Protein backbone atom coordinates (compact mmCIF):
# COMPACT_ATOMS: atom_id res chain seq x y z
CA UNK A 1 0.00 0.00 0.00
CA UNK A 2 1.40 3.37 -0.95
CA UNK A 3 0.78 6.59 0.86
CA UNK A 4 -1.20 9.00 -1.21
CA UNK A 5 -1.58 12.69 -0.58
CA UNK A 6 -5.33 12.52 -1.11
CA UNK A 7 -5.61 10.10 1.82
CA UNK A 8 -3.50 12.16 4.19
CA UNK A 9 -5.12 15.56 3.68
CA UNK A 10 -8.43 14.51 5.31
CA UNK A 11 -6.41 13.01 8.18
CA UNK A 12 -4.61 16.33 8.68
CA UNK A 13 -7.95 18.18 8.63
CA UNK A 14 -9.29 15.71 11.21
CA UNK A 15 -6.24 16.40 13.39
CA UNK A 16 -6.88 20.15 13.23
CA UNK A 17 -10.56 19.71 14.14
CA UNK A 18 -9.88 17.33 17.05
CA UNK A 19 -7.13 19.63 18.37
CA UNK A 20 -9.47 22.62 18.21
CA UNK A 21 -12.30 20.72 19.94
CA UNK A 22 -9.97 19.47 22.69
CA UNK A 23 -8.65 22.98 23.25
CA UNK A 24 -12.16 24.47 23.47
CA UNK A 25 -13.35 21.69 25.78
CA UNK A 26 -10.30 22.12 28.02
CA UNK A 27 -11.01 25.86 28.21
CA UNK A 28 -14.55 25.12 29.43
CA UNK A 29 -13.20 22.79 32.11
CA UNK A 30 -10.82 25.55 33.22
CA UNK A 31 -13.73 27.97 33.54
CA UNK A 32 -15.64 25.41 35.59
CA UNK A 33 -12.62 24.89 37.84
CA UNK A 34 -12.44 28.62 38.54
CA UNK A 35 -16.09 28.93 39.56
CA UNK A 36 -16.33 25.64 41.51
CA UNK A 37 -17.49 25.89 45.12
CA UNK A 38 -17.48 23.30 47.92
CA UNK A 39 -20.14 22.51 50.50
CA UNK A 40 -20.94 19.94 53.14
CA UNK A 41 -23.98 17.91 52.15
CA UNK A 42 -26.14 15.54 54.16
CA UNK A 43 -27.46 12.33 52.66
CA UNK A 44 -31.25 12.27 52.94
CA UNK A 45 -33.40 9.16 53.40
CA UNK A 46 -34.18 9.00 49.66
CA UNK A 47 -30.46 9.06 48.79
CA UNK A 48 -30.18 12.66 47.62
CA UNK A 49 -27.62 15.22 48.73
CA UNK A 50 -28.98 18.23 50.62
CA UNK A 51 -26.67 21.22 50.99
CA UNK A 52 -26.69 25.00 51.25
CA UNK A 53 -24.97 27.03 48.52
CA UNK A 54 -22.77 30.05 49.16
CA UNK A 55 -25.76 32.24 48.24
CA UNK A 56 -27.86 30.58 50.99
CA UNK A 57 -30.09 28.44 48.73
CA UNK A 58 -30.93 24.93 49.94
CA UNK A 59 -30.42 22.43 47.12
CA UNK A 60 -31.30 18.75 46.92
CA UNK A 61 -29.21 17.04 44.25
CA UNK A 62 -29.17 13.42 43.17
CA UNK A 63 -26.37 11.22 44.49
CA UNK A 64 -24.60 10.33 41.27
CA UNK A 65 -23.31 6.86 42.17
CA UNK A 66 -25.74 4.06 43.03
CA UNK A 67 -22.82 2.13 44.49
CA UNK A 68 -22.79 4.51 47.44
CA UNK A 69 -26.43 3.78 48.32
CA UNK A 70 -25.70 0.13 49.24
CA UNK A 71 -27.22 -1.04 45.98
CA UNK A 72 -25.38 -3.87 44.28
CA UNK A 73 -22.15 -2.77 42.66
CA UNK A 74 -21.95 -2.50 38.88
CA UNK A 75 -20.30 -5.53 37.23
CA UNK A 76 -16.52 -5.48 37.48
CA UNK A 77 -16.46 -2.75 40.13
CA UNK A 78 -16.35 -2.86 43.89
CA UNK A 79 -17.83 -0.23 46.17
CA UNK A 80 -15.19 1.47 48.26
CA UNK A 81 -17.47 3.78 50.24
CA UNK A 82 -21.11 3.50 51.25
CA UNK A 83 -23.27 6.40 52.38
CA UNK A 84 -26.24 6.08 54.66
CA UNK A 85 -28.99 8.56 55.54
CA UNK A 86 -27.58 11.29 57.78
CA UNK A 87 -23.95 10.98 56.59
CA UNK A 88 -22.17 14.23 55.80
CA UNK A 89 -19.96 14.47 52.74
CA UNK A 90 -17.92 17.24 51.13
CA UNK A 91 -18.95 17.87 47.55
CA UNK A 92 -18.18 20.35 44.82
CA UNK A 93 -20.84 22.15 42.82
CA UNK A 94 -21.20 24.61 39.98
CA UNK A 95 -22.76 27.87 41.25
CA UNK A 96 -24.30 28.44 37.80
CA UNK A 97 -26.12 25.08 38.15
CA UNK A 98 -26.15 23.85 41.79
CA UNK A 99 -27.71 20.54 40.68
CA UNK A 100 -24.40 19.76 38.96
CA UNK A 101 -22.44 18.16 41.82
CA UNK A 102 -19.44 15.83 41.95
CA UNK A 103 -16.95 14.34 44.34
CA UNK A 104 -13.24 14.85 43.78
CA UNK A 105 -11.45 16.92 41.16
CA UNK A 106 -13.15 19.07 38.53
CA UNK A 107 -15.13 16.80 36.19
CA UNK A 108 -14.07 16.37 32.60
CA UNK A 109 -10.39 17.10 33.13
CA UNK A 110 -9.12 13.86 31.57
CA UNK A 111 -11.37 13.75 28.50
CA UNK A 112 -10.48 17.21 27.16
CA UNK A 113 -6.78 16.66 27.75
CA UNK A 114 -6.88 13.30 25.99
CA UNK A 115 -8.82 14.83 23.07
CA UNK A 116 -6.33 17.68 22.73
CA UNK A 117 -3.30 15.38 22.76
CA UNK A 118 -4.94 12.92 20.36
CA UNK A 119 -5.58 15.77 17.92
CA UNK A 120 -1.99 16.94 18.19
CA UNK A 121 -0.67 13.42 17.58
CA UNK A 122 -2.94 12.85 14.56
CA UNK A 123 -2.04 16.25 13.11
CA UNK A 124 1.72 15.89 13.46
CA UNK A 125 1.68 12.29 12.22
CA UNK A 126 -0.41 13.14 9.18
CA UNK A 127 1.72 16.17 8.32
CA UNK A 128 4.91 14.12 8.61
CA UNK A 129 3.48 11.36 6.41
CA UNK A 130 2.16 13.98 3.98
CA UNK A 131 5.66 15.45 3.72
CA UNK A 132 7.08 12.03 2.84
CA UNK A 133 4.22 11.10 0.50
CA UNK A 134 4.60 14.33 -1.44
CA UNK A 135 8.22 13.39 -2.20
CA UNK A 136 9.76 16.34 -0.43
CA UNK A 137 12.91 14.51 0.73
CA UNK A 138 13.74 13.58 -2.89
CA UNK A 139 13.18 17.15 -4.05
CA UNK A 140 15.36 18.50 -1.25
CA UNK A 141 18.11 16.03 -2.18
CA UNK A 142 17.86 17.17 -5.82
CA UNK A 143 18.38 20.77 -4.65
CA UNK A 144 21.27 19.52 -2.47
CA UNK A 145 19.55 20.76 0.69
CA UNK A 146 19.62 17.24 2.17
CA UNK A 147 22.60 14.89 2.02
CA UNK A 148 22.50 12.25 -0.69
CA UNK A 149 21.61 8.72 0.30
CA UNK A 150 24.63 6.46 0.09
CA UNK A 151 24.20 2.96 -1.31
CA UNK A 152 24.48 0.17 1.21
CA UNK A 153 27.86 -1.54 1.46
CA UNK A 154 28.33 -5.12 0.44
CA UNK A 155 28.70 -7.57 3.28
CA UNK A 156 32.13 -9.14 2.90
CA UNK A 157 32.08 -11.13 6.11
CA UNK A 158 31.85 -14.55 4.41
CA UNK A 159 34.77 -13.82 2.07
CA UNK A 160 32.88 -14.95 -1.07
CA UNK A 161 33.29 -11.67 -2.94
CA UNK A 162 36.76 -10.82 -1.70
CA UNK A 163 38.64 -13.49 -3.65
CA UNK A 164 39.80 -15.24 -0.52
CA UNK A 165 39.05 -18.94 -0.48
CA UNK A 166 37.18 -20.31 2.48
CA UNK A 167 39.25 -23.41 2.91
CA UNK A 168 40.30 -24.81 6.22
CA UNK A 169 43.93 -24.18 7.02
CA UNK A 170 46.28 -27.08 7.60
CA UNK A 171 48.13 -27.36 10.84
Amino acid sequence: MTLRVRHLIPLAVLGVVVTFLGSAWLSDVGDLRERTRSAVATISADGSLVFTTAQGDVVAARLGDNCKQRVSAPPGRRCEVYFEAGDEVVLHYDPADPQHVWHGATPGGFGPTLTLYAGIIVLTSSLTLLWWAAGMPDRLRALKLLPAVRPARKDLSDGADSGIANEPTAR
Side-chain angles (χ1 to χ4, degrees):
M1 184 174 131
T2 60
L3 290 175
R4 299 234 160 95
V5 174
R6 65 182 166 160
H7 297 137
L8 295 172
I9 290 176
L11 191 62
V13 170
L14 177 69
V16 169
V17 169
V18 171
T19 301
F20 177 74
L21 290 175
S23 177
W25 191 12
L26 198 59
S27 174
D28 289 341
V29 169
D31 293 341
L32 178 60
R33 183 185 53 82
E34 289 175 6
R35 68 175 187 259
T36 296
R37 300 288 178 259
S38 299
V40 176
T42 305
I43 307 294
S44 67
D46 65 349
S48 62
L49 300 164
V50 179
F51 65 97
T52 305
T53 64
Q55 291 81 15
D57 299 331
V58 175
V59 177
R62 186 172 86 41
L63 183 61
D65 191 357
N66 67 351
C67 181
K68 305 210 183 310
Q69 299 173 16
R70 290 202 186 268
V71 178
S72 64
R77 191 170 134 213
R78 295 187 335 215
C79 296
E80 295 178 11
V81 177
Y82 292 105
F83 295 138
E84 301 208 4
D87 287 349
E88 291 184 344
V89 294
V90 176
L91 61 83
H92 304 281
Y93 68 95
D94 182 3
D97 179 18
Q99 295 291 325
H100 184 205
V101 297
W102 61 91
H103 309 283
T106 303
F110 181 71
T113 305
L114 183 66
T115 304
L116 176 67
Y117 287 150
I120 291 171
I121 289 169
V122 168
L123 179 61
T124 55
S125 299
S126 63
L127 290 178
T128 303
L129 290 172
L130 186 62
W131 187 72
W132 282 99
M136 289 306 291
D138 295 332
R139 291 182 190 143
L140 292 176
R141 279 189 196 92
L143 294 172
K144 299 191 189 254
L145 296 174
L146 279 180
V149 178
R150 295 182 183 167
R153 293 183 180 185
K154 256 186 175 178
D155 185 18
L156 301 176
S157 61
D158 65 349
D161 293 327
S162 65
I164 301 173
N166 287 334
E167 298 177 10
T169 56
R171 292 187 182 180

